[in-house]
Amino acid sequence: MKRIMLLSILFSLFIFDVNSQRLTLNDFEDYSIGTPLTMKTPSGSISTESTAVVTVDPEDPNNKVLMVTTNNWNTFIEILLPESLTGAMLSDQYEMISFDLYRPDDDPSDWKKFEIYSGSVNLYTDGIYPYQGDKGSWQDKRYYIGETTSSSRYIYLGFNSNNSICYIDNIVLYTPKYSYDYTDPEQTPRYWADLMGKNIGVAITPGQLDYVSDRRTLSISRNFNMIVAENCMKWYATEPSRDEFSWENSDKLYNFAQSNNMKLRGHALVWHSQLPSWVSSDGIENDNNWTKAELLDILKNHITQIVSRYKGKIVEWDVINECLDDNQWKIKANPDNGEYILRENSIWTKVIGESFIDSAFVWAHRADPDAKLYINEYNAEHWSGDKTKALYYLVKRLKESGVPIDGVGLQAHLTLGKVTATDITITFNRYNRLGLNSIITELDIPIPIEQSGLSSAYKQQAADFKIISDLVASKDNSPSLLVWGLTDNDSWLNTDKRGEPLLLNKDYDAKPAFTAVLESFRKKVLETGLCNPVEYVGPQKEYVNVYTITGFKVALGIHRSELRNLPSGLYIIDGRKEIIN
Ligand code: XIL
């Protein structure tokens, strides 16, 4: 009975808590169709060219929404805050803003910045011009809002675009309830990865480091000990014009990594995709008519400049990315003859031939002999797959030819419920026998739209993530596990068909997949006493958790001074082996 009472108290607290921290700014239901809303610049001038009009939801005739058309830059919808709230009060009470967005088929621009202001004070701006999601269906948008002391009673929000049409509904301020405390090291995967001497990493954009909010940047630095650039170190971004390099964004990532004791991983030196047009307009055609010698020169210069600039600063590089063909018919015909097919639709293969791979590794190695060099590929995780064997044979050839390669990056853009531990283990073991690492470089496992919201789907996702993290934790030749994005809101896969592929949800909260990775690493540390005090960079804590060497709990949260009261022996204290005499 007592238990039921306690449960119901807890339950009502939960409901109360959640409700008390939500404020709907506008759902447009109180307006009549056709009512115009003011659009202004944050400095206060009214825009007449851009319009915001209450209209009927394109998907639901009973719902009213706001249609926003911007025809000049820097114009946003103006909303008067309710209940005599000011910007300062708002930023005190709420952490996030959410709204529904619908992009009609005639919205002319896919890439635009979302911005929010309190009066003229900026609360959030997308750091880059992000893809704003697919047209023709409602999307759920959420942003962390910055802090302000502004006394303005107005907020301005919308896309900073001179060419945009969209529908907006249900603008809500709220503070999410977080299920984990990222300020407690033990609740973060990084803590356990540090103890194992492993890298747990995340792909980020320089924009994510702008408009610093604790939650966002700390979600990166507390949970991960490695970062990789999702885009800003690709060729189009680093060498946009021939021999003119742009370092600003990669420096920004490096500085963030440095100040947070994190490692920086380099992605990617040679790829057919995301090339600047001076190299090739589509990465396939040699439309600038480079000769083989010229293209080799271009390649050598690119690799040498970048790798030497970050010598000693970038610990590992994807030297080659996605160089294999999707259809490995030769392997299908005979899996044992060691033949592989390179991607034909690539300017590198077309103009240079296979040797671009060997050369790239050699140049990268010369520029930084200490950097670990990887070949990175997708759909090459499960040994039963043709492409996995193709990659293995290529890598074997490279290794046997003396090419300075340290391992393979398995991207691991995986399919929910289709992750098989035994099958991937074979792949890891094969590379181990070649004396090479196999690491996970871009892990994400999307949930199909029809399963979104089902707890069974998140459980399955957690089970799939656990398979990968168990593998990385248990294999000495697998030092790194990286996920391809911070929150489900940031994923490149977010379309209306599949989504929520990452560890943190749109509110930066831990999903079951996050807990699965954390538990997998934690268990490994506690079971084996695996530790690397030299690599450990976290704080030495005054209060510690003590386990026996086989992982049985002895005491949690005891003061270090009490350790001498324990029977003498070997213990795991905060993940590290210690002898108590
Ligand atoms: C993706 C980025 O996540 C997107 O933002 C970008 O538009 C396209 O590239 N394999 C890779 C990554 O090696 O570089 C890709 O990143 C995802 C697939």
Side-chain angles (χ1 to χ4, degrees):
M1 186 59 191
K2 229 172 158 182
R3 207 155 141 196
I4 293 175
M5 260 178 67
L6 188 67
L7 274 178
S8 59
I9 290 171
L10 277 176
F11 189 63
S12 58
L13 275 178
F14 180 73
I15 303 271
F16 172 73
D17 212 338
V18 168
N19 288 341
S20 67
Q21 288 175 351
R22 283 179 71 86
L23 175 67
T24 300
L25 287 184
N26 216 328
D27 61 9
F28 309 106
E29 294 310 309
D30 293 344
Y31 298 81
S32 38
I33 301 291
T35 311
L37 261 69
T38 309
M39 292 205 60
K40 276 189 182 169
T41 67
S43 58
S45 49
I46 294 184
S47 163
T48 45
E49 287 157 356
S50 299
T51 57
V53 181
V54 176
T55 185
V56 177
D57 181 339
E59 284 192 347
D60 175 2
N62 298 319
N63 187 36
K64 291 178 207 161
V65 300
L66 190 68
M67 180 177 180
V68 185
T69 311
T70 51
N71 289 318
N72 47 6
W73 297 99
N74 216 25
T75 52
F76 305 96
I77 354 168
E78 180 182 71
I79 296 179
L80 175 64
L81 293 170
E83 300 161 16
S84 15
L85 269 180
T86 63
M89 289 153 81
L90 172 156
S91 85
D92 244 21
Q93 292 175 30
Y94 303 101
E95 282 186 18
M96 299 192 78
I97 191 162
S98 71
F99 62 90
D100 300 328
L101 172 75
Y102 184 99
R103 297 182 53 225
D105 288 343
D106 55 349
D107 180 8
S109 66
D110 287 343
W111 307 81
K112 44 201 173 198
K113 282 186 180 187
F114 181 73
E115 302 190 11
I116 311 172
Y117 294 82
S118 162
S120 58
V121 180
N122 184 262
L123 296 181
Y124 177 87
T125 293
D126 281 324
I128 46 159
Y129 285 84
Y131 177 62
Q132 290 299 350
D134 289 356
K135 296 172 178 174
S137 63
W138 282 101
Q139 307 171 46
D140 164 17
K141 294 287 200 177
R142 301 182 197 197
Y143 300 91
Y144 195 100
I145 50 177
E147 291 190 1
T148 178
T149 52
S150 154
S151 57
S152 173
R153 300 233 27 250
Y154 289 96
I155 68 161
Y156 298 93
L157 63 83
F159 293 108
N160 193 354
S161 168
N162 65 345
N163 207 6
S164 165
I165 305 169
C166 64
Y167 299 90
I168 283 180
D169 197 12
N170 301 322
I171 307 172
V172 173
L173 290 168
Y174 68 109
T175 298
K177 238 182 116 48
Y178 295 115
S179 62
Y180 83 113
D181 175 6
Y182 63 88
T183 63
D184 172 6
E186 287 188 34
Q187 295 188 40
T188 68
R190 174 182 182 155
Y191 176 82
W192 304 102
D194 276 343
L195 290 172
M196 287 193 290
K198 300 261 181 193
N199 304 313
I200 174 93
V202 59
I204 61 166
T205 64
Q208 285 177 315
L209 307 177
D210 286 339
Y211 294 89
V212 173
S213 66
D214 276 5
R215 187 83 201 179
R216 183 144 58 132
T217 43
L218 291 180
S219 292
I220 299 171
S221 62
R222 298 278 167 111
N223 287 319
F224 302 96
N225 57 18
M226 177 178 256
I227 48 173
V228 60
E230 182 173 355
N231 288 303
C232 75
M233 294 180 76
K234 292 172 181 172
W235 199 313
Y236 80 102
T238 47
E239 195 185 359
S241 310
R242 189 169 183 183
D243 213 17
E244 279 174 27
F245 288 83
S246 159
W247 307 120
E248 196 191 329
N249 283 329
S250 26
D251 280 355
K252 194 167 160 186
L253 259 55
Y254 174 71
N255 292 335
F256 180 81
Q258 270 300 92
S259 47
N260 290 292
N261 266 321
M262 306 168 91
K263 292 179 188 163
L264 177 60
R265 166 163 226 280
H267 173 85
L269 295 172
V270 194
W271 192 21
H272 65 283
S273 189
Q274 294 183 274
L275 284 170
S277 56
W278 70 267
V279 178
S280 163
S281 64
D282 60 0
I284 303 166
E285 291 311 316
N286 185 15
D287 38 20
N288 297 302
N289 297 317
W290 302 113
T291 63
K292 179 172 173 178
E294 282 169 338
L295 203 58
L296 277 166
D297 248 15
I298 286 170
L299 191 62
K300 180 178 183 183
N301 186 51
H302 183 77
I303 294 174
T304 309
Q305 296 282 339
I306 299 189
V307 178
S308 50
R309 187 164 195 283
Y310 291 100
K311 183 172 186 289
K313 295 180 169 176
I314 288 187
V315 292
E316 60 191 41
W317 275 104
D318 285 333
V319 178
I320 301 289
N321 198 26
E322 304 184 349
C323 69
L324 286 173
D325 206 281
D326 286 333
N327 183 359
Q328 294 293 330
W329 56 269
K330 289 186 181 174
I331 299 253
K332 228 178 227 83
N334 182 356
D336 300 321
N337 68 3
E339 287 192 276
Y340 48 87
I341 303 167
L342 294 185
R343 177 188 291 277
E344 268 163 38
N345 280 336
S346 151
I347 184 172
W348 309 114
T349 331
K350 274 190 172 181
V351 178
I352 303 174
E354 183 165 348
S355 69
F356 84 87
I357 300 175
D358 306 48
S359 302
F361 275 100
V362 171
W363 292 324
H365 183 66
R366 280 193 199 147
D368 184 355
D370 293 328
K372 299 278 178 247
L373 304 182
Y374 284 87
I375 189 166
N376 199 43
E377 193 51 83
Y378 63 92
N379 201 11
E381 298 82 18
H382 291 90
W383 182 253
S384 56
D386 302 335
K387 208 170 164 200
T388 307
K389 295 189 187 79
L391 179 66
Y392 172 79
Y393 291 133
L394 165 61
V395 167
K396 186 163 181 284
R397 203 251 327 128
L398 293 171
K399 178 78 180 163
E400 286 168 358
S401 332
V403 168
I405 179 171
D406 295 287
V408 298
L410 306 173
Q411 291 187 3
H413 298 294
L414 298 170
T415 307
L416 191 73
K418 297 258 158 46
V419 183
T420 312
T422 45
D423 204 357
I424 307 181
T425 306
I426 304 175
T427 312
F428 276 57
N429 290 346
R430 294 302 286 254
Y431 289 115
N432 193 24
R433 268 183 261 144
L434 282 185
L436 292 174
N437 285 343
S438 49
I439 63 172
I440 301 293
T441 52
E442 304 183 11
L443 181 60
D444 51 25
I445 310 179
I447 289 172
I449 186 76
E450 62 279 6
Q451 290 183 48
S452 176
L454 296 179
S455 66
S456 57
Y458 301 100
K459 262 193 194 158
Q460 180 63 57
Q461 190 179 47
D464 292 343
F465 268 87
K466 180 176 184 301
I467 290 176
I468 301 298
S469 43
D470 279 351
L471 253 168
V472 171
S474 67
K475 296 288 177 188
D476 286 344
N477 72 323
S478 192
S480 308
L481 189 173
L482 294 106
V483 292
W484 205 244
L486 181 63
T487 73
D488 285 340
N489 212 14
D490 306 313
S491 170
W492 71 306
L493 295 175
N494 262 329
T495 68
D496 60 344
K497 294 203 176 51
R498 44 192 195 163
E500 301 175 87
L502 295 166
L503 298 177
L504 299 176
N505 71 15
K506 291 179 176 177
D507 293 332
Y508 298 79
D509 196 11
K511 291 165 62 187
F514 176 99
T515 314
V517 173
L518 177 84
E519 281 306 314
S520 156
F521 282 11
R522 180 175 173 276
K523 189 160 172 274
K524 186 71 189 170
V525 171
L526 297 182
E527 262 177 18
T528 60
L530 248 186
C531 55
N532 196 340
V534 185
E535 293 235 356
Y536 178 67
V537 287
Q540 171 91 358
K541 292 199 310 184
E542 218 179 328
Y543 291 89
V544 292
N545 293 341
V546 184
Y547 293 85
T548 66
I549 196 75
T550 47
F552 290 105
K553 197 191 305 168
V554 177
L556 296 183
I558 63 167
H559 193 267
R560 279 206 156 264
S561 63
E562 292 174 69
L563 290 175
R564 59 174 176 267
N565 303 332
L566 295 172
S568 57
L570 188 57
Y571 293 90
I572 299 170
I573 297 171
D574 268 354
R576 276 175 287 183
K577 272 186 204 159
E578 272 186 48
I579 296 174
I580 306 292
N581 288 313

